Amino acid sequence: MKSLKNKVLLARQLSFSEWLILVEARWLLFGFHLALRWLSYDRLNKLMPSTTGKGLTSSSRRAYAERLKQLIEISSRLHWSHITCLVKSFTLRWMLTRRGIPVQLCIGIGKTSDGVHAHAWVEMAGMPISEASDIADRFKILGSVEQLLPVDFD
């Protein structure tokens, strides 16, 4: 029951615009989840909107991007299937780019004692959004996604 209580408290804290973002994120997560199974990375990348660079100031862009990442995480936890970091990153990139905020999707691969792991994240002005600041040190950023295909994303 504690879980339900936490969800109700969370729901009360969200504004109407944040609820709309949750709905948008849910549809985009589902869409990118399917699209990454049928389309190549390059083709999907070409469908990304271009940024206009207008709108929020630099500091408010960072805060907005981090809040958007939190809402996408919430939406992914409510999704019917496991959502990978690549799908979440595509969704965040799409939503920020559509709002005129320029970002870059990064895909990296790293070796640990457990084996080889891949991770995708979004950066704004070279800084990761809601990720550890050393993420680029822990994962070698790939030049193309084709090198990564045999590896599953977290």
Side-chain angles (χ1 to χ4, degrees):
M1 199 59 146
K2 184 178 180 183
S3 167
L4 179 60
K5 183 179 179 181
N6 288 342
K7 289 178 184 179
V8 170
L9 288 174
L10 173 68
R12 285 185 174 170
Q13 293 172 354
L14 297 177
S15 68
F16 181 71
S17 62
E18 289 174 327
W19 274 104
L20 292 177
I21 289 171
L22 279 177
V23 171
E24 178 185 5
R26 185 169 176 89
W27 281 106
L28 287 171
L29 288 167
F30 178 68
F32 283 121
H33 179 76
L34 294 178
L36 283 166
R37 283 156 172 48
W38 293 329
L39 301 175
S40 69
Y41 171 83
D42 290 332
R43 181 133 184 229
L44 192 57
N45 208 24
K46 288 177 186 174
L47 296 175
M48 285 287 158
S50 61
T51 56
T52 59
K54 60 183 177 183
L56 304 170
T57 63
S58 179
S59 60
S60 60
R61 282 181 180 186
R62 166 72 53 187
Y64 183 77
E66 289 176 0
R67 182 60 180 157
L68 203 56
K69 168 80 185 235
Q70 290 172 345
L71 293 170
I72 289 170
E73 286 294 332
I74 291 169
S75 185
S76 70
R77 279 187 250 128
L78 300 173
H79 207 271
W80 56 271
S81 68
H82 175 71
I83 300 296
T84 64
C85 57
L86 183 61
V87 173
K88 292 178 207 175
S89 296
F90 260 110
T91 301
L92 180 61
R93 180 179 169 208
W94 177 276
M95 292 176 78
L96 288 171
T97 304
R98 295 271 300 167
R99 288 160 173 81
I101 301 174
V103 292
Q104 179 183 10
L105 176 70
C106 298
I107 299 173
I109 191 165
K111 187 174 181 183
T112 64
S113 59
D114 295 339
V116 177
H117 296 280
H119 185 57
W121 66 94
V122 177
E123 290 184 352
M124 176 189 298
M127 296 290 296
I129 299 171
S130 295
E131 294 276 350
S133 58
D134 68 339
I135 192 85
D137 296 334
R138 291 187 286 135
F139 292 93
K140 182 181 184 309
I141 297 177
L142 299 176
S144 69
V145 91
E146 286 77 21
Q147 300 166 337
L148 186 62
L149 289 178
V151 180
D152 287 333
F153 285 89
D154 293 340

